[in-house]
Amino acid sequence: MLLGATMPGKNMPRFEYKRMTGEQLRTELLDMAMPVFAFARIFGVRPQTVKKWLRDENDIPPWVHVALGLLRLEGALSEARQLAAEHIIRDNQRPGAGEFPFLERADEITEGNGDDDD
C-alpha cells in the first residue's frame, strides 16, 4: 500500500459508474424494438420499475448497461427470452394460463398484451 493512499470507507462502493439516463434507456429499448414488458420479464423486474427508470425517477442500475450490450449480440435476445420463459413459474396477471413456460404461445409471451402496469 502506498503511503498516503486513502482506503474507501466500509460503506463506500468500490466503483463509481456513469449513470444511464432514462432517455438513453428509452433509445436502447426502441432500437431493439423491445417493449418495457419484455425487458422487465427477461430480467425479473417489475415493468413499473423500468418505467420509473425511463422517467428518471430512480437511478438505472449499472447492470442494465451491460445487459443491453449483451442483448445486442447475435441471437442473444431470443436466447434471453427463451431462458426467461423457462425460469418463470407463473404469470400472476394471467393465472388461467397455467404454469410457465407456455412455449407453444411464445409470441404472446414475448410481446405481452399491454398489461404492464404491475
Side-chain angles (χ1 to χ4, degrees):
M1 185 164 116
L2 295 174
L3 292 176
T6 305
M7 294 297 294
K10 286 185 179 182
N11 294 327
M12 180 184 289
R14 180 174 178 184
F15 300 105
E16 290 186 38
Y17 295 92
K18 293 180 200 173
R19 289 292 179 180
M20 177 179 259
T21 67
E23 188 59 36
Q24 289 169 325
L25 176 58
R26 181 180 320 283
T27 299
E28 289 286 330
L29 293 177
L30 287 171
D31 285 350
M32 297 172 67
M34 179 180 291
V36 167
F37 172 85
F39 182 86
R41 184 180 24 71
I42 288 170
F43 293 103
V45 297
R46 295 179 60 159
Q48 282 304 104
T49 298
V50 180
K51 289 178 181 181
K52 287 180 181 181
W53 295 341
L54 292 169
R55 294 188 301 258
D56 289 317
E57 291 177 15
N58 289 350
D59 284 344
I60 299 169
W63 64 262
V64 172
H65 174 76
V66 175
L68 289 169
L70 292 172
L71 288 177
R72 289 188 174 277
L73 297 175
E74 187 174 338
L77 183 54
S78 62
E79 183 70 18
R81 286 179 164 161
Q82 177 71 31
L83 289 168
E86 291 171 2
H87 193 66
I88 295 169
I89 297 170
R90 76 180 112 309
D91 181 342
N92 291 325
Q93 289 186 348
R94 297 178 192 88
E99 295 291 308
F100 254 64
F102 342 119
L103 298 177
E104 63 276 0
R105 296 191 314 259
D107 58 329
E108 179 182 322
I109 295 169
T110 58
E111 297 308 319
N113 68 359
D115 292 339
D116 59 1
D117 291 334
D118 288 352

